[in-house]
């Protein structure tokens, strides 16, 4: 990153940190954009340069993960089997998670606590996950040269891979932490890969 990009990233993370602390201290609904901006000593207008809303801020990491997977799918080699493309995309996200700093991990765990305390945010996250899977299905269908609306296999390929992620994310975040989630997702992904091989028996 250049100096300008580094400064922007520093401001974005400062807004995330301030928002998460305020959400957990005084409640999501009670926290305003003005308060978040004020905690970082920037204007609300500056806040909206980075996030379109409080909801966007909460789901920003999800959006980044979706972008990582779609970019990985777009960078695949010609002729790569579609399920291999999908698992490679998931592993691209896992590499990012493995490289998380202690500050990244703390933000992630705060987000988990925030979701647990606010069912409406968790519901929104489920909706965002459905949208992400739809986009991934579109990308897989494009690789296969089929219509995502009428092709069930593209949906199954994405569903199998994303199910492995859901199993990992369901582990107790407060007790096990981010890297344990990464380990569980990788193990579950390997289990899915083995279970699809002919003649495999658990």
């Amino acid at each position: 990153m250049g100096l300008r990009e580094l400064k922007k990233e520093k401001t974005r993370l400062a807004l995330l940190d301030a928002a998460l602390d305020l959400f957990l201290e005084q409640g999501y609904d009670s926290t305003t954009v003005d308060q978040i901006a004020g905690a970082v000593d920037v204007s609300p207008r500056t806040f909206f340069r980075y996030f379109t809303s409080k909801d966007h801020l909460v789901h920003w990491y999800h959006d980044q993960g979706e972008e990582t997977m779609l970019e990985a799918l777009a960078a695949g080699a010609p002729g790569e089997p579609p399920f291999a493309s999908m698992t490679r995309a998931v592993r691209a996200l896992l590499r990012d998670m493995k490289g998380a700093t202690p500050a990244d991990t703390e933000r992630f765990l705060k987000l988990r606590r925030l979701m647990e305390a606010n069912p409406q945010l968790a519901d929104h996250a489920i909706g965002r996950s459905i949208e992400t899977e739809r986009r991934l299905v579109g990308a897989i269908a494009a690789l296969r040269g089929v219509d995502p609306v009428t092709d069930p296999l593209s949906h199954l390929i994405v569903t199998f891979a994303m199910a492995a992620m859901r199993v990992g994310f369901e582990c107790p975040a407060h007790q096990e932490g981010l890297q344990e989630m990464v380990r569980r997702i990788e193990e579950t992904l390997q289990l899915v890969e083995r279970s699809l091989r002919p003649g495999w028996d658990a």
Side-chain angles (χ1 to χ4, degrees):
M1 290 185 183
L3 289 176
R4 183 177 181 183
E5 288 75 19
L6 285 171
K7 183 178 179 180
K8 289 175 64 177
E9 184 67 7
K10 182 178 179 180
T11 301
R12 178 181 290 107
L13 294 177
L15 288 166
L16 274 167
D17 289 338
L20 289 172
D21 287 341
L22 287 168
F23 292 156
L24 292 172
E25 288 170 8
Q26 63 187 34
Y28 179 80
D29 291 333
S30 299
T31 300
T32 67
V33 168
D34 285 358
Q35 289 174 324
I36 297 168
V40 184
D41 199 24
V42 299
S43 68
R45 182 177 180 180
T46 297
F47 174 95
F48 289 115
R49 291 176 186 164
Y50 294 90
F51 305 103
T52 59
S53 65
K54 291 193 303 180
D55 282 355
H56 180 206
L57 184 149
V58 169
H59 299 292
W60 185 77
Y61 276 122
H62 176 100
D63 294 345
Q64 295 303 299
E66 175 185 310
E67 183 178 341
T68 295
M69 289 190 287
L70 289 172
E71 287 178 350
L73 288 175
E80 182 179 40
F83 187 70
S85 297
M86 188 63 232
T87 55
R88 181 173 51 76
V90 173
R91 288 189 169 107
L93 177 57
L94 294 183
R95 283 195 298 274
D96 284 351
M97 295 171 68
K98 286 178 182 177
T101 66
D104 292 330
T105 300
E106 185 177 0
R107 291 184 194 103
F108 180 82
L109 297 180
K110 286 180 179 179
L111 278 169
R112 287 295 295 264
R113 293 202 300 272
L114 181 65
M115 294 287 183
E116 290 169 3
N118 295 270
Q120 78 276 16
L121 294 179
D123 289 343
H124 190 189
I126 292 171
R128 286 290 295 110
S129 295
I130 292 171
E131 293 173 9
T132 293
E133 291 192 19
R134 187 178 300 116
R135 293 186 183 95
L136 292 171
V137 168
I140 290 292
L143 291 175
R144 300 181 59 239
V146 298
D147 184 348
V149 176
T150 59
D151 179 62
L153 182 56
S154 295
H155 289 263
L156 284 171
I157 288 168
V158 172
T159 299
F160 284 146
M162 298 306 285
M165 292 196 66
R166 279 192 288 272
V167 170
F169 277 116
E170 286 169 1
C171 75
H174 308 317
Q175 299 175 16
E176 301 184 42
L178 180 59
Q179 296 309 317
E180 179 62 17
M181 288 184 183
V182 172
R183 185 190 67 78
R184 285 186 48 158
I185 292 170
E186 176 59 40
E187 286 182 353
T188 309
L189 193 60
Q190 292 177 16
L191 177 60
V192 172
E193 291 171 325
R194 292 197 301 270
S195 67
L196 294 177
R197 294 172 187 163
W200 184 81
D201 188 349

PDB file of all heavy atoms in Angstrom, residues 77-113:
ATOM      1  N   ALA A  77      -7.437 -21.638 -13.177  1.00  0.00           N
ATOM      2  CA  ALA A  77      -6.862 -22.104 -14.434  1.00  0.00           C
ATOM      3  C   ALA A  77      -7.957 -22.700 -15.320  1.00  0.00           C
ATOM      4  O   ALA A  77      -8.899 -23.324 -14.820  1.00  0.00           O
ATOM      5  CB  ALA A  77      -5.792 -23.153 -14.154  1.00  0.00           C
ATOM      6  N   PRO A  78      -7.855 -22.524 -16.625  1.00  0.00           N
ATOM      7  CA  PRO A  78      -8.838 -23.124 -17.530  1.00  0.00           C
ATOM      8  C   PRO A  78      -8.898 -24.646 -17.352  1.00  0.00           C
ATOM      9  O   PRO A  78      -7.869 -25.309 -17.210  1.00  0.00           O
ATOM     10  CB  PRO A  78      -8.308 -22.756 -18.922  1.00  0.00           C
ATOM     11  CG  PRO A  78      -7.454 -21.550 -18.696  1.00  0.00           C
ATOM     12  CD  PRO A  78      -6.832 -21.742 -17.347  1.00  0.00           C
ATOM     13  N   GLY A  79     -10.093 -25.180 -17.337  1.00  0.00           N
ATOM     14  CA  GLY A  79     -10.256 -26.620 -17.218  1.00  0.00           C
ATOM     15  C   GLY A  79     -10.225 -27.155 -15.795  1.00  0.00           C
ATOM     16  O   GLY A  79     -10.354 -28.366 -15.581  1.00  0.00           O
ATOM     17  N   GLU A  80     -10.047 -26.289 -14.798  1.00  0.00           N
ATOM     18  CA  GLU A  80     -10.035 -26.751 -13.408  1.00  0.00           C
ATOM     19  C   GLU A  80     -11.409 -27.293 -13.042  1.00  0.00           C
ATOM     20  O   GLU A  80     -12.429 -26.663 -13.338  1.00  0.00           O
ATOM     21  CB  GLU A  80      -9.666 -25.592 -12.484  1.00  0.00           C
ATOM     22  CG  GLU A  80      -9.570 -25.976 -11.018  1.00  0.00           C
ATOM     23  CD  GLU A  80      -9.186 -24.796 -10.137  1.00  0.00           C
ATOM     24  OE1 GLU A  80      -9.693 -23.681 -10.392  1.00  0.00           O
ATOM     25  OE2 GLU A  80      -8.391 -24.984  -9.214  1.00  0.00           O
ATOM     26  N   PRO A  81     -11.485 -28.454 -12.394  1.00  0.00           N
ATOM     27  CA  PRO A  81     -12.792 -28.973 -11.979  1.00  0.00           C
ATOM     28  C   PRO A  81     -13.511 -27.960 -11.085  1.00  0.00           C
ATOM     29  O   PRO A  81     -12.881 -27.319 -10.234  1.00  0.00           O
ATOM     30  CB  PRO A  81     -12.439 -30.244 -11.203  1.00  0.00           C
ATOM     31  CG  PRO A  81     -11.109 -30.653 -11.742  1.00  0.00           C
ATOM     32  CD  PRO A  81     -10.394 -29.375 -12.047  1.00  0.00           C
ATOM     33  N   PRO A  82     -14.823 -27.783 -11.271  1.00  0.00           N
ATOM     34  CA  PRO A  82     -15.525 -26.714 -10.550  1.00  0.00           C
ATOM     35  C   PRO A  82     -15.491 -26.849  -9.034  1.00  0.00           C
ATOM     36  O   PRO A  82     -15.404 -25.844  -8.331  1.00  0.00           O
ATOM     37  CB  PRO A  82     -16.954 -26.804 -11.095  1.00  0.00           C
ATOM     38  CG  PRO A  82     -17.061 -28.161 -11.704  1.00  0.00           C
ATOM     39  CD  PRO A  82     -15.698 -28.503 -12.204  1.00  0.00           C
ATOM     40  N   PHE A  83     -15.550 -28.082  -8.502  1.00  0.00           N
ATOM     41  CA  PHE A  83     -15.487 -28.203  -7.048  1.00  0.00           C
ATOM     42  C   PHE A  83     -14.089 -27.845  -6.539  1.00  0.00           C
ATOM     43  O   PHE A  83     -13.946 -27.233  -5.474  1.00  0.00           O
ATOM     44  CB  PHE A  83     -15.868 -29.608  -6.590  1.00  0.00           C
ATOM     45  CG  PHE A  83     -15.972 -29.725  -5.089  1.00  0.00           C
ATOM     46  CD1 PHE A  83     -17.012 -29.103  -4.409  1.00  0.00           C
ATOM     47  CD2 PHE A  83     -15.025 -30.422  -4.355  1.00  0.00           C
ATOM     48  CE1 PHE A  83     -17.111 -29.180  -3.023  1.00  0.00           C
ATOM     49  CE2 PHE A  83     -15.113 -30.516  -2.978  1.00  0.00           C
ATOM     50  CZ  PHE A  83     -16.162 -29.888  -2.311  1.00  0.00           C
ATOM     51  N   ALA A  84     -13.055 -28.182  -7.321  1.00  0.00           N
ATOM     52  CA  ALA A  84     -11.695 -27.782  -6.944  1.00  0.00           C
ATOM     53  C   ALA A  84     -11.580 -26.258  -6.963  1.00  0.00           C
ATOM     54  O   ALA A  84     -10.907 -25.668  -6.110  1.00  0.00           O
ATOM     55  CB  ALA A  84     -10.680 -28.405  -7.900  1.00  0.00           C
ATOM     56  N   SER A  85     -12.242 -25.613  -7.917  1.00  0.00           N
ATOM     57  CA  SER A  85     -12.235 -24.141  -7.955  1.00  0.00           C
ATOM     58  C   SER A  85     -12.872 -23.572  -6.700  1.00  0.00           C
ATOM     59  O   SER A  85     -12.368 -22.612  -6.106  1.00  0.00           O
ATOM     60  CB  SER A  85     -13.004 -23.642  -9.188  1.00  0.00           C
ATOM     61  OG  SER A  85     -12.387 -24.067 -10.380  1.00  0.00           O
ATOM     62  N   MET A  86     -13.979 -24.177  -6.288  1.00  0.00           N
ATOM     63  CA  MET A  86     -14.703 -23.669  -5.128  1.00  0.00           C
ATOM     64  C   MET A  86     -13.905 -23.879  -3.845  1.00  0.00           C
ATOM     65  O   MET A  86     -13.825 -22.980  -3.000  1.00  0.00           O
ATOM     66  CB  MET A  86     -16.074 -24.353  -5.041  1.00  0.00           C
ATOM     67  CG  MET A  86     -17.002 -23.769  -3.995  1.00  0.00           C
ATOM     68  SD  MET A  86     -17.444 -22.049  -4.321  1.00  0.00           S
ATOM     69  CE  MET A  86     -17.047 -21.304  -2.753  1.00  0.00           C
ATOM     70  N   THR A  87     -13.302 -25.040  -3.670  1.00  0.00           N
ATOM     71  CA  THR A  87     -12.515 -25.274  -2.456  1.00  0.00           C
ATOM     72  C   THR A  87     -11.263 -24.391  -2.446  1.00  0.00           C
ATOM     73  O   THR A  87     -10.829 -23.940  -1.388  1.00  0.00           O
ATOM     74  CB  THR A  87     -12.124 -26.750  -2.311  1.00  0.00           C
ATOM     75  OG1 THR A  87     -11.435 -27.185  -3.492  1.00  0.00           O
ATOM     76  CG2 THR A  87     -13.360 -27.612  -2.104  1.00  0.00           C
ATOM     77  N   ARG A  88     -10.710 -24.122  -3.620  1.00  0.00           N
ATOM     78  CA  ARG A  88      -9.564 -23.210  -3.683  1.00  0.00           C
ATOM     79  C   ARG A  88      -9.975 -21.804  -3.259  1.00  0.00           C
ATOM     80  O   ARG A  88      -9.220 -21.098  -2.581  1.00  0.00           O
ATOM     81  CB  ARG A  88      -8.990 -23.199  -5.110  1.00  0.00           C
ATOM     82  CG  ARG A  88      -7.773 -22.303  -5.274  1.00  0.00           C
ATOM     83  CD  ARG A  88      -7.143 -22.478  -6.657  1.00  0.00           C
ATOM     84  NE  ARG A  88      -8.139 -22.355  -7.709  1.00  0.00           N
ATOM     85  CZ  ARG A  88      -8.658 -21.206  -8.126  1.00  0.00           C
ATOM     86  NH1 ARG A  88      -8.266 -20.063  -7.573  1.00  0.00           N
ATOM     87  NH2 ARG A  88      -9.542 -21.169  -9.095  1.00  0.00           N
ATOM     88  N   ALA A  89     -11.173 -21.400  -3.627  1.00  0.00           N
ATOM     89  CA  ALA A  89     -11.672 -20.084  -3.218  1.00  0.00           C
ATOM     90  C   ALA A  89     -11.853 -19.999  -1.705  1.00  0.00           C
ATOM     91  O   ALA A  89     -11.516 -18.991  -1.082  1.00  0.00           O
ATOM     92  CB  ALA A  89     -12.985 -19.781  -3.927  1.00  0.00           C
ATOM     93  N   VAL A  90     -12.386 -21.065  -1.114  1.00  0.00           N
ATOM     94  CA  VAL A  90     -12.545 -21.088   0.339  1.00  0.00           C
ATOM     95  C   VAL A  90     -11.182 -21.028   1.017  1.00  0.00           C
ATOM     96  O   VAL A  90     -10.986 -20.312   2.003  1.00  0.00           O
ATOM     97  CB  VAL A  90     -13.314 -22.336   0.788  1.00  0.00           C
ATOM     98  CG1 VAL A  90     -13.331 -22.445   2.314  1.00  0.00           C
ATOM     99  CG2 VAL A  90     -14.751 -22.304   0.258  1.00  0.00           C
ATOM    100  N   ARG A  91     -10.212 -21.750   0.466  1.00  0.00           N
ATOM    101  CA  ARG A  91      -8.882 -21.761   1.083  1.00  0.00           C
ATOM    102  C   ARG A  91      -8.175 -20.416   0.919  1.00  0.00           C
ATOM    103  O   ARG A  91      -7.328 -20.063   1.743  1.00  0.00           O
ATOM    104  CB  ARG A  91      -8.057 -22.910   0.510  1.00  0.00           C
ATOM    105  CG  ARG A  91      -8.545 -24.269   1.016  1.00  0.00           C
ATOM    106  CD  ARG A  91      -7.621 -25.408   0.630  1.00  0.00           C
ATOM    107  NE  ARG A  91      -8.002 -26.608   1.363  1.00  0.00           N
ATOM    108  CZ  ARG A  91      -8.626 -27.671   0.821  1.00  0.00           C
ATOM    109  NH1 ARG A  91      -8.935 -27.658  -0.480  1.00  0.00           N
ATOM    110  NH2 ARG A  91      -8.946 -28.719   1.561  1.00  0.00           N
ATOM    111  N   ALA A  92      -8.518 -19.664  -0.112  1.00  0.00           N
ATOM    112  CA  ALA A  92      -7.974 -18.307  -0.226  1.00  0.00           C
ATOM    113  C   ALA A  92      -8.447 -17.457   0.947  1.00  0.00           C
ATOM    114  O   ALA A  92      -7.682 -16.669   1.522  1.00  0.00           O
ATOM    115  CB  ALA A  92      -8.403 -17.680  -1.555  1.00  0.00           C
ATOM    116  N   LEU A  93      -9.713 -17.629   1.312  1.00  0.00           N
ATOM    117  CA  LEU A  93     -10.241 -16.915   2.478  1.00  0.00           C
ATOM    118  C   LEU A  93      -9.575 -17.408   3.757  1.00  0.00           C
ATOM    119  O   LEU A  93      -9.240 -16.609   4.646  1.00  0.00           O
ATOM    120  CB  LEU A  93     -11.755 -17.104   2.552  1.00  0.00           C
ATOM    121  CG  LEU A  93     -12.474 -16.483   3.746  1.00  0.00           C
ATOM    122  CD1 LEU A  93     -12.208 -14.981   3.818  1.00  0.00           C
ATOM    123  CD2 LEU A  93     -13.968 -16.757   3.663  1.00  0.00           C
ATOM    124  N   LEU A  94      -9.368 -18.719   3.867  1.00  0.00           N
ATOM    125  CA  LEU A  94      -8.722 -19.261   5.064  1.00  0.00           C
ATOM    126  C   LEU A  94      -7.297 -18.734   5.216  1.00  0.00           C
ATOM    127  O   LEU A  94      -6.841 -18.489   6.329  1.00  0.00           O
ATOM    128  CB  LEU A  94      -8.713 -20.793   5.018  1.00  0.00           C
ATOM    129  CG  LEU A  94     -10.073 -21.489   5.091  1.00  0.00           C
ATOM    130  CD1 LEU A  94      -9.884 -23.009   5.099  1.00  0.00           C
ATOM    131  CD2 LEU A  94     -10.856 -21.039   6.315  1.00  0.00           C
ATOM    132  N   ARG A  95      -6.601 -18.542   4.103  1.00  0.00           N
ATOM    133  CA  ARG A  95      -5.241 -17.973   4.188  1.00  0.00           C
ATOM    134  C   ARG A  95      -5.282 -16.572   4.773  1.00  0.00           C
ATOM    135  O   ARG A  95      -4.422 -16.200   5.579  1.00  0.00           O
ATOM    136  CB  ARG A  95      -4.582 -17.962   2.806  1.00  0.00           C
ATOM    137  CG  ARG A  95      -4.069 -19.311   2.353  1.00  0.00           C
ATOM    138  CD  ARG A  95      -3.117 -19.173   1.169  1.00  0.00           C
ATOM    139  NE  ARG A  95      -3.773 -18.589   0.002  1.00  0.00           N
ATOM    140  CZ  ARG A  95      -4.452 -19.284  -0.907  1.00  0.00           C
ATOM    141  NH1 ARG A  95      -4.564 -20.601  -0.777  1.00  0.00           N
ATOM    142  NH2 ARG A  95      -4.996 -18.680  -1.945  1.00  0.00           N
ATOM    143  N   ASP A  96      -6.276 -15.785   4.350  1.00  0.00           N
ATOM    144  CA  ASP A  96      -6.413 -14.445   4.927  1.00  0.00           C
ATOM    145  C   ASP A  96      -6.674 -14.526   6.426  1.00  0.00           C
ATOM    146  O   ASP A  96      -6.131 -13.743   7.215  1.00  0.00           O
ATOM    147  CB  ASP A  96      -7.566 -13.696   4.250  1.00  0.00           C
ATOM    148  CG  ASP A  96      -7.203 -13.196   2.861  1.00  0.00           C
ATOM    149  OD1 ASP A  96      -6.009 -13.285   2.490  1.00  0.00           O
ATOM    150  OD2 ASP A  96      -8.113 -12.731   2.153  1.00  0.00           O
ATOM    151  N   MET A  97      -7.521 -15.469   6.829  1.00  0.00           N
ATOM    152  CA  MET A  97      -7.853 -15.617   8.242  1.00  0.00           C
ATOM    153  C   MET A  97      -6.643 -16.086   9.044  1.00  0.00           C
ATOM    154  O   MET A  97      -6.418 -15.646  10.169  1.00  0.00           O
ATOM    155  CB  MET A  97      -9.028 -16.585   8.404  1.00  0.00           C
ATOM    156  CG  MET A  97     -10.332 -16.063   7.800  1.00  0.00           C
ATOM    157  SD  MET A  97     -11.650 -17.315   7.747  1.00  0.00           S
ATOM    158  CE  MET A  97     -11.995 -17.508   9.504  1.00  0.00           C
ATOM    159  N   LYS A  98      -5.839 -16.987   8.458  1.00  0.00           N
ATOM    160  CA  LYS A  98      -4.635 -17.458   9.147  1.00  0.00           C
ATOM    161  C   LYS A  98      -3.655 -16.320   9.373  1.00  0.00           C
ATOM    162  O   LYS A  98      -2.897 -16.318  10.347  1.00  0.00           O
ATOM    163  CB  LYS A  98      -3.958 -18.563   8.324  1.00  0.00           C
ATOM    164  CG  LYS A  98      -4.679 -19.896   8.354  1.00  0.00           C
ATOM    165  CD  LYS A  98      -3.963 -20.917   7.482  1.00  0.00           C
ATOM    166  CE  LYS A  98      -4.703 -22.232   7.456  1.00  0.00           C
ATOM    167  NZ  LYS A  98      -4.052 -23.212   6.551  1.00  0.00           N
ATOM    168  N   GLY A  99      -3.651 -15.348   8.454  1.00  0.00           N
ATOM    169  CA  GLY A  99      -2.736 -14.216   8.571  1.00  0.00           C
ATOM    170  C   GLY A  99      -3.261 -13.095   9.437  1.00  0.00           C
ATOM    171  O   GLY A  99      -2.659 -12.014   9.472  1.00  0.00           O
ATOM    172  N   ALA A 100      -4.360 -13.341  10.145  1.00  0.00           N
ATOM    173  CA  ALA A 100      -4.954 -12.292  10.981  1.00  0.00           C
ATOM    174  C   ALA A 100      -4.002 -11.866  12.090  1.00  0.00           C
ATOM    175  O   ALA A 100      -3.337 -12.689  12.716  1.00  0.00           O
ATOM    176  CB  ALA A 100      -6.262 -12.794  11.584  1.00  0.00           C
ATOM    177  N   THR A 101      -3.947 -10.564  12.321  1.00  0.00           N
ATOM    178  CA  THR A 101      -3.158 -10.022  13.424  1.00  0.00           C
ATOM    179  C   THR A 101      -3.948 -10.189  14.734  1.00  0.00           C
ATOM    180  O   THR A 101      -5.147 -10.461  14.703  1.00  0.00           O
ATOM    181  CB  THR A 101      -2.867  -8.540  13.200  1.00  0.00           C
ATOM    182  OG1 THR A 101      -4.117  -7.815  13.251  1.00  0.00           O
ATOM    183  CG2 THR A 101      -2.194  -8.310  11.857  1.00  0.00           C
ATOM    184  N   PRO A 102      -3.302 -10.016  15.878  1.00  0.00           N
ATOM    185  CA  PRO A 102      -4.058 -10.029  17.135  1.00  0.00           C
ATOM    186  C   PRO A 102      -5.201  -9.024  17.143  1.00  0.00           C
ATOM    187  O   PRO A 102      -6.280  -9.309  17.672  1.00  0.00           O
ATOM    188  CB  PRO A 102      -2.997  -9.698  18.180  1.00  0.00           C
ATOM    189  CG  PRO A 102      -1.724 -10.225  17.586  1.00  0.00           C
ATOM    190  CD  PRO A 102      -1.847  -9.966  16.112  1.00  0.00           C
ATOM    191  N   ALA A 103      -4.999  -7.846  16.538  1.00  0.00           N
ATOM    192  CA  ALA A 103      -6.066  -6.843  16.476  1.00  0.00           C
ATOM    193  C   ALA A 103      -7.216  -7.328  15.600  1.00  0.00           C
ATOM    194  O   ALA A 103      -8.388  -7.109  15.926  1.00  0.00           O
ATOM    195  CB  ALA A 103      -5.513  -5.522  15.940  1.00  0.00           C
ATOM    196  N   ASP A 104      -6.890  -7.994  14.470  1.00  0.00           N
ATOM    197  CA  ASP A 104      -7.933  -8.563  13.608  1.00  0.00           C
ATOM    198  C   ASP A 104      -8.756  -9.596  14.373  1.00  0.00           C
ATOM    199  O   ASP A 104      -9.984  -9.636  14.273  1.00  0.00           O
ATOM    200  CB  ASP A 104      -7.316  -9.247  12.382  1.00  0.00           C
ATOM    201  CG  ASP A 104      -6.672  -8.274  11.418  1.00  0.00           C
ATOM    202  OD1 ASP A 104      -7.143  -7.121  11.339  1.00  0.00           O
ATOM    203  OD2 ASP A 104      -5.713  -8.671  10.743  1.00  0.00           O
ATOM    204  N   THR A 105      -8.058 -10.447  15.125  1.00  0.00           N
ATOM    205  CA  THR A 105      -8.741 -11.486  15.881  1.00  0.00           C
ATOM    206  C   THR A 105      -9.663 -10.886  16.931  1.00  0.00           C
ATOM    207  O   THR A 105     -10.793 -11.338  17.118  1.00  0.00           O
ATOM    208  CB  THR A 105      -7.713 -12.412  16.558  1.00  0.00           C
ATOM    209  OG1 THR A 105      -6.908 -13.016  15.546  1.00  0.00           O
ATOM    210  CG2 THR A 105      -8.398 -13.493  17.371  1.00  0.00           C
ATOM    211  N   GLU A 106      -9.189  -9.836  17.600  1.00  0.00           N
ATOM    212  CA  GLU A 106     -10.017  -9.181  18.608  1.00  0.00           C
ATOM    213  C   GLU A 106     -11.274  -8.587  17.967  1.00  0.00           C
ATOM    214  O   GLU A 106     -12.372  -8.696  18.525  1.00  0.00           O
ATOM    215  CB  GLU A 106      -9.213  -8.088  19.312  1.00  0.00           C
ATOM    216  CG  GLU A 106      -9.970  -7.427  20.456  1.00  0.00           C
ATOM    217  CD  GLU A 106      -9.139  -6.398  21.193  1.00  0.00           C
ATOM    218  OE1 GLU A 106      -7.966  -6.192  20.813  1.00  0.00           O
ATOM    219  OE2 GLU A 106      -9.654  -5.788  22.144  1.00  0.00           O
ATOM    220  N   ARG A 107     -11.127  -7.972  16.800  1.00  0.00           N
ATOM    221  CA  ARG A 107     -12.297  -7.427  16.109  1.00  0.00           C
ATOM    222  C   ARG A 107     -13.278  -8.535  15.749  1.00  0.00           C
ATOM    223  O   ARG A 107     -14.493  -8.378  15.878  1.00  0.00           O
ATOM    224  CB  ARG A 107     -11.866  -6.698  14.837  1.00  0.00           C
ATOM    225  CG  ARG A 107     -11.113  -5.419  15.074  1.00  0.00           C
ATOM    226  CD  ARG A 107     -10.792  -4.699  13.776  1.00  0.00           C
ATOM    227  NE  ARG A 107      -9.802  -3.656  14.030  1.00  0.00           N
ATOM    228  CZ  ARG A 107      -8.513  -3.771  13.720  1.00  0.00           C
ATOM    229  NH1 ARG A 107      -8.071  -4.850  13.097  1.00  0.00           N
ATOM    230  NH2 ARG A 107      -7.678  -2.787  14.021  1.00  0.00           N
ATOM    231  N   PHE A 108     -12.751  -9.639  15.259  1.00  0.00           N
ATOM    232  CA  PHE A 108     -13.609 -10.756  14.870  1.00  0.00           C
ATOM    233  C   PHE A 108     -14.411 -11.276  16.048  1.00  0.00           C
ATOM    234  O   PHE A 108     -15.619 -11.521  15.952  1.00  0.00           O
ATOM    235  CB  PHE A 108     -12.750 -11.875  14.276  1.00  0.00           C
ATOM    236  CG  PHE A 108     -13.537 -13.072  13.841  1.00  0.00           C
ATOM    237  CD1 PHE A 108     -14.170 -13.100  12.612  1.00  0.00           C
ATOM    238  CD2 PHE A 108     -13.648 -14.187  14.669  1.00  0.00           C
ATOM    239  CE1 PHE A 108     -14.905 -14.203  12.214  1.00  0.00           C
ATOM    240  CE2 PHE A 108     -14.377 -15.294  14.283  1.00  0.00           C
ATOM    241  CZ  PHE A 108     -15.001 -15.293  13.049  1.00  0.00           C
ATOM    242  N   LEU A 109     -13.756 -11.440  17.179  1.00  0.00           N
ATOM    243  CA  LEU A 109     -14.443 -11.953  18.355  1.00  0.00           C
ATOM    244  C   LEU A 109     -15.470 -10.955  18.895  1.00  0.00           C
ATOM    245  O   LEU A 109     -16.539 -11.337  19.370  1.00  0.00           O
ATOM    246  CB  LEU A 109     -13.430 -12.326  19.438  1.00  0.00           C
ATOM    247  CG  LEU A 109     -12.456 -13.452  19.051  1.00  0.00           C
ATOM    248  CD1 LEU A 109     -11.499 -13.734  20.193  1.00  0.00           C
ATOM    249  CD2 LEU A 109     -13.204 -14.719  18.678  1.00  0.00           C
ATOM    250  N   LYS A 110     -15.156  -9.669  18.792  1.00  0.00           N
ATOM    251  CA  LYS A 110     -16.136  -8.652  19.181  1.00  0.00           C
ATOM    252  C   LYS A 110     -17.358  -8.715  18.270  1.00  0.00           C
ATOM    253  O   LYS A 110     -18.506  -8.574  18.732  1.00  0.00           O
ATOM    254  CB  LYS A 110     -15.512  -7.263  19.136  1.00  0.00           C
ATOM    255  CG  LYS A 110     -14.546  -6.962  20.272  1.00  0.00           C
ATOM    256  CD  LYS A 110     -13.970  -5.565  20.150  1.00  0.00           C
ATOM    257  CE  LYS A 110     -13.030  -5.253  21.306  1.00  0.00           C
ATOM    258  NZ  LYS A 110     -12.432  -3.891  21.191  1.00  0.00           N
ATOM    259  N   LEU A 111     -17.128  -8.915  16.979  1.00  0.00           N
ATOM    260  CA  LEU A 111     -18.242  -9.053  16.048  1.00  0.00           C
ATOM    261  C   LEU A 111     -19.113 -10.249  16.409  1.00  0.00           C
ATOM    262  O   LEU A 111     -20.341 -10.179  16.342  1.00  0.00           O
ATOM    263  CB  LEU A 111     -17.721  -9.189  14.613  1.00  0.00           C
ATOM    264  CG  LEU A 111     -17.358  -7.898  13.890  1.00  0.00           C
ATOM    265  CD1 LEU A 111     -16.607  -8.211  12.595  1.00  0.00           C
ATOM    266  CD2 LEU A 111     -18.616  -7.085  13.578  1.00  0.00           C
ATOM    267  N   ARG A 112     -18.477 -11.350  16.786  1.00  0.00           N
ATOM    268  CA  ARG A 112     -19.243 -12.531  17.176  1.00  0.00           C
ATOM    269  C   ARG A 112     -20.107 -12.241  18.400  1.00  0.00           C
ATOM    270  O   ARG A 112     -21.280 -12.614  18.469  1.00  0.00           O
ATOM    271  CB  ARG A 112     -18.302 -13.713  17.469  1.00  0.00           C
ATOM    272  CG  ARG A 112     -17.677 -14.335  16.237  1.00  0.00           C
ATOM    273  CD  ARG A 112     -18.702 -14.986  15.319  1.00  0.00           C
ATOM    274  NE  ARG A 112     -19.344 -16.118  15.946  1.00  0.00           N
ATOM    275  CZ  ARG A 112     -18.970 -17.379  15.773  1.00  0.00           C
ATOM    276  NH1 ARG A 112     -17.945 -17.676  14.995  1.00  0.00           N
ATOM    277  NH2 ARG A 112     -19.624 -18.368  16.359  1.00  0.00           N
ATOM    278  N   ARG A 113     -19.529 -11.552  19.380  1.00  0.00           N
ATOM    279  CA  ARG A 113     -20.300 -11.212  20.574  1.00  0.00           C
ATOM    280  C   ARG A 113     -21.448 -10.273  20.224  1.00  0.00           C
ATOM    281  O   ARG A 113     -22.547 -10.391  20.768  1.00  0.00           O
ATOM    282  CB  ARG A 113     -19.390 -10.575  21.632  1.00  0.00           C
ATOM    283  CG  ARG A 113     -18.366 -11.530  22.208  1.00  0.00           C
ATOM    284  CD  ARG A 113     -17.874 -11.074  23.572  1.00  0.00           C
ATOM    285  NE  ARG A 113     -17.239  -9.767  23.536  1.00  0.00           N
ATOM    286  CZ  ARG A 113     -15.946  -9.572  23.283  1.00  0.00           C
ATOM    287  NH1 ARG A 113     -15.160 -10.600  22.998  1.00  0.00           N
ATOM    288  NH2 ARG A 113     -15.443  -8.355  23.304  1.00  0.00           N
TER     289      ARG A 113
END
